[in-house]
Amino acid sequence: MSGNAAALTMSQAIGLRRADAAPEPALSWRDRLALLDLVPNLGDNIGSGEWWRGLATLTLLCGAAIATYPGVKPLEQPAAALNAADFNEARAQMIVPLALGGDTGRHMAATDAVRPLAQTPERPQIELTATLGQGDSFARVLERSGVGSVDAQALASQISSAVPLVDIAPGTRIDLILGRRAARTMPRPVDALAMRARFDLRIEMERIDGRLVMRRIPIAVDATPLRIRGRVGDSLYRSARAAGASPESIQAYLRVVGRQLSVGSDIRASDEFDIIVEHRRAETGESETGKLLYAGLVRGGKPKLSMIEWTVDGRLQWFEASGAGEQRSGMVRPTNGRITSPFGMRRHPILGYVRMHRGIDMGGGYGGPVFAVSDGVVQVAGRTGGYGNYVKLSHGGGLGTGYGHMSRIAVRPGQHVSRGQVIGYIGSSGLSTGPHLHYEVYRNGVPVNPLSIAFVIRARLEGQALADFRARIRQLTSIAPGAALAPVAAKPVEGPKLGLLGDVAAKRAGEGI
């Protein structure tokens, strides 16, 4: 503005009011009480009247809390005491431990009609089943079942005339019927006994005219080996299980085939597995599967691998049919991993300086199997310096092999090992940065490049042994798949005709004995 115009500040403008304006009304006691701050912030305006008023309020509240604390007690409600009758009534409805008895209903005291028994009656017969345990004797099993020692020994002697007691397998069930005893102090006599003494024999005994008569029941058993064939597909294990092979048979098959081929890379989905195992089937329907007899692999309709177990020099070994009587070069790989470090000079990964690497390193997962590359004798098997767990084999002719950094050793010094036998497991013991196998080859004690060595393997089957070997191969491969599942004809029963154990019990009960 220009000229003599006046200028007012904002506070002056607000402070001006009209002279005729009405005065502000006085605050009521309710409004004053609402504006009163009883709990001011003691951190502001220290020393002011408002601050002292807040301090007085705080002191008053703390004093009231401290003064009333000893007098505050939890409310107690007196429980009504139960008399003896009410307590027993309530206890009868409780769930109590079995050691206290079954208090689940109302108990009643005995009346005058109750008379104590001078002698409790005994059951005329007791039917029970006993089981022969590992390392147990037949007579002790009978004695634990309540048979007297004299009768138990006589029964064991009588049964041993039909089958040697050592041939009775642990876990065999023995069905017994014990008759009435002449006095309470005497053991019960055996009225009847029945058991499967062997896979091919059942024994039954019955007391006739005061003596036990034994009946032998031969069980027809077919021992035709079981042959299982099928396509490998996505998983050899699952395909073989679907075809009916047991887990134990498949594991044995994979171990044998793994000595010649890499199960993970050399077997194709289009290949066919051929497994033959020992098999026994009784006329009663039970079956037993034994050890592996033949491991084969078919590719394109022709046998790729045919292996059976054969005894040579007093030792059982697996031989490949195509190589029997022939000469083969090469050796099995000590493990299925790839070569991660070659033979020659290199910088040591742990020591840090350049030195001679006297073998080759082969990668593999921790715990993978390590195989003997050829037949030999174990010279060293144990902890050996930077090699960790180490095995050294002597193969004759000045040749030897070494296997280091293993997690576990599976052979002992002086032991004879065969080609492809597991001698340990991959690990990282000794001076090692991770799980792998350190493999060395020695010629007259001097390390050489393992890739330059090829062992010459000669089959030791010649003459009549080779002819017998090939005849066994033809015999096994002539078995048709499923031939072991044909019906088994029953054998005639030997001995006197006796009732079955259940019939004996019914007959004895009917006679009132």
Side-chain angles (χ1 to χ4, degrees), residues 462-496:
E462 298 176 355
Q464 187 60 40
L466 181 59
D468 294 342
F469 174 81
R470 289 175 173 170
R472 178 60 174 166
I473 288 281
R474 291 192 297 269
Q475 177 189 4
L476 289 175
T477 53
S478 65
I479 299 173
L485 304 180
V488 182
K491 287 186 176 181
V493 178
E494 302 174 1

Side-chain angles (χ1 to χ4, degrees), residues 409-498:
I409 296 174
V411 292
R412 63 184 183 277
Q415 178 180 346
H416 291 267
V417 296
S418 57
R419 181 176 184 262
Q421 179 177 338
V422 176
I423 60 174
Y425 302 90
I426 291 177
S428 185
S429 58
L431 292 178
S432 171
T433 58
H436 71 283
L437 172 67
H438 176 79
Y439 170 58
E440 296 179 347
V441 176
Y442 304 92
R443 178 183 282 126
N444 297 323
V446 178
V448 296
N449 188 351
L451 301 181
S452 66
I453 297 296
F455 289 103
V456 178
I457 308 299
R458 292 182 182 272
R460 287 171 291 179
L461 298 181
E462 298 176 355
Q464 187 60 40
L466 181 59
D468 294 342
F469 174 81
R470 289 175 173 170
R472 178 60 174 166
I473 288 281
R474 291 192 297 269
Q475 177 189 4
L476 289 175
T477 53
S478 65
I479 299 173
L485 304 180
V488 182
K491 287 186 176 181
V493 178
E494 302 174 1
K497 184 176 180 180
L498 304 176

Side-chain angles (χ1 to χ4, degrees), residues 44-106:
D44 296 336
N45 300 326
I46 299 175
S48 63
E50 184 181 11
W51 184 85
W52 283 107
R53 186 175 68 253
L55 181 61
T57 303
L58 177 62
T59 304
L60 180 63
L61 293 175
C62 292
I66 294 173
T68 58
Y69 173 73
V72 178
K73 296 181 180 180
L75 297 178
E76 297 181 0
Q77 183 176 359
L82 296 177
N83 55 28
D86 294 338
F87 176 78
N88 290 334
E89 183 67 22
R91 187 171 184 268
Q93 310 303 323
M94 294 165 55
I95 299 177
V96 296
L98 294 178
L100 302 180
D103 294 345
T104 57
R106 189 185 301 274

Side-chain angles (χ1 to χ4, degrees), residues 3 51 54-55 57 99 165 188 214 247 265-266 291 295 309 319 333 354 387 398 440 479 496:
W51 184 85
L55 181 61
T57 303
L165 297 181
R188 287 178 175 268
M214 183 170 61
S265 58
D266 293 341
K291 67 177 184 178
E309 201 172 23
F319 278 83
R333 292 173 62 88
V354 177
Y387 290 106
E440 296 179 347
I479 299 173

